[in-house]
Amino acid sequence: LFAAGMSLFDAVAHSLSTVATAGYSTHDASLAFFDSVPIEIVATVFMLIGGISYNEHFIAWRTLQLQRYGRDTQTRAFVLIVAVAVALTTLVLFAASAYGSVAESLRYATFEVVSVLTTTGFGIADFSLWPLALPIVLIFLGLIGGCAGSSAGGIKVIRFVVLFKQVGIHIHRLIHPQAIRRMKLDGQPLPDSVVEAVGGFFAVYVMVFFIFMALAMMDGMDQVTAFGAVASALNNVGPSVGDVAITFADVSTQGKIMFAVAMLFGRLEIYTFLVLLTPAFWRR
C-alpha cells in the first residue's frame, strides 16, 4: 500500500484493517479517499487472502504447494462465488450505464463484491444506489461471508457447501428411494453430526435474524433499513442499505446497543453467545 501511494501511517493502518477484514479506515470516505486503482488492487488481493482459511494458507506455505488451494472444496466454492458475482455485477452496471465503460464497471464491481463477501466493508462506491437488485444481492453476499478459518464474518462458505450437498442428496433420494448415498467433502465422508449441526445453525441464524429485525422495526426503522442493518451487524459487514447504507450515526441509542449485541452474536457465531446465556453453563 505504501508503494501504491499511501503515506506510511495510512499504509500500516489499512494493512491491519485489510488482512483482518475489519474495514476501518483513517478517512471517512474509506478507500474512495485515495481514488487509486493500484491501492484498490492491493486491497482486493489481500481481502481475498483474508477471506480464505488460514489453515489453507499455512498448509500451502509449509508444503510450498499452491495447488493446495485448488484441492480444497471451500476455497474453490469461495473463488467461484467471487467470479460469478463480479461478472454479474459488472454486466448489470455496464448495461444500466451506471459507469462509463466496462473497465470502470469491472473496477467498482470487483472491489465492492470482494469487500462485502469477505465482510471487510471498505468502500469506493455506495452500492445501495446501484441499479436493479444489486444492493440486495450484495447484502446476501455478506450473509455468505468468507471461508471458515478466515478472519471474515458471515455464515461461512463451508456451511453453504454442506447445505447444498444435503439438498442434492435429498433430491437424489426422492428419485431413488432405495439408494444409499453419503455426503463427502474433499473425498472424506462427512459425519451425520456435522450435517445436523449445519442445519441447526441455519435454523438458529434465521430465528436470531428475524428477532433482531423485529426489534429494529419496533425501534422505528422501516423494513428495508431494518433488514439491512441486521444483515450488516450480524454478519460484521459494515456497509448496508436504507438509512444505514453509510453510517449508523442516526440510529437511536437503544438501537446502537441492540446492534452492538448483534455484532457480538455474529462474531461469536451465535451458539457461543447463546451458551453464555444458558444458566447450566454457569452452574458447571
Side-chain angles (χ1 to χ4, degrees):
L1 290 172
F2 179 70
M6 281 189 180
S7 67
L8 180 60
F9 174 76
D10 281 339
V12 171
H14 286 89
S15 66
L16 296 172
S17 188
T18 301
V19 176
T21 61
Y24 285 103
S25 175
T26 54
H27 302 279
D28 289 343
S30 191
L31 291 192
F33 172 85
F34 301 97
D35 192 22
S36 169
V37 173
I39 287 175
E40 293 163 16
I41 291 173
V42 172
T44 299
V45 169
F46 282 91
M47 284 191 290
L48 287 171
I49 290 174
I52 295 174
S53 171
Y54 280 93
N55 292 327
E56 294 303 314
H57 292 318
F58 178 74
I59 295 172
W61 171 67
R62 284 294 299 270
T63 60
L64 298 178
Q65 294 179 346
L66 290 178
Q67 60 266 33
R68 167 71 195 185
Y69 294 107
R71 293 199 295 264
D72 179 57
T73 300
Q74 180 178 214
T75 304
R76 292 201 307 270
F78 176 74
V79 172
L80 178 62
I81 293 170
V82 171
V84 171
V86 167
L88 290 176
T89 304
T90 302
L91 180 63
V92 172
L93 289 176
F94 180 69
S97 300
Y99 298 102
S101 65
V102 175
E104 197 173 6
S105 299
L106 178 62
R107 170 191 174 185
Y108 286 98
T110 301
F111 188 90
E112 290 298 324
V113 164
V114 172
S115 179
V116 172
L117 182 61
T118 61
T119 69
T120 305
F122 281 141
I124 60 172
D126 183 0
F127 68 79
S128 68
L129 302 177
W130 281 359
L132 303 181
L134 286 184
I136 200 67
V137 169
L138 264 71
I139 289 295
F140 278 110
L141 286 178
L143 295 181
I144 296 173
C147 299
S150 72
S151 58
I155 295 175
K156 300 296 189 302
V157 172
I158 191 63
R159 289 194 175 100
F160 281 94
V161 170
V162 172
L163 181 67
F164 280 105
K165 282 181 173 286
Q166 183 67 4
V167 169
I169 288 176
H170 278 298
I171 292 175
H172 185 265
R173 286 175 179 170
L174 288 174
I175 300 172
H176 306 283
Q178 304 302 319
I180 298 176
R181 185 177 173 185
R182 292 294 304 276
M183 185 184 300
K184 291 185 177 182
L185 195 64
D186 294 329
Q188 301 296 322
L190 207 60
D192 291 337
S193 58
V194 174
V195 180
E196 292 172 2
V198 170
F201 180 86
F202 271 97
V204 173
Y205 179 92
V206 171
M207 178 185 70
V208 170
F209 190 102
F210 281 108
I211 288 175
F212 276 115
M213 185 172 172
L215 291 174
M217 292 175 66
M218 290 170 63
D219 192 44
M221 286 186 173
D222 61 84
Q223 295 94 325
V224 173
T225 301
F227 176 84
V230 175
S232 176
L234 196 57
N235 296 291
N236 310 122
V237 178
S240 188
V241 294
D243 296 337
V244 294
I246 302 298
T247 177
F248 279 64
D250 295 331
V251 176
S252 66
T253 300
Q254 61 270 21
K256 289 185 176 73
I257 294 173
M258 177 182 66
F259 290 124
V261 173
M263 286 187 280
L264 287 174
F265 262 90
R267 188 69 273 181
L268 297 175
E269 300 212 341
I270 300 179
Y271 276 126
T272 304
F273 200 96
L274 291 178
V275 167
L276 293 176
L277 302 178
T278 305
F281 172 80
W282 299 101
R283 287 198 297 266
R284 293 183 60 182

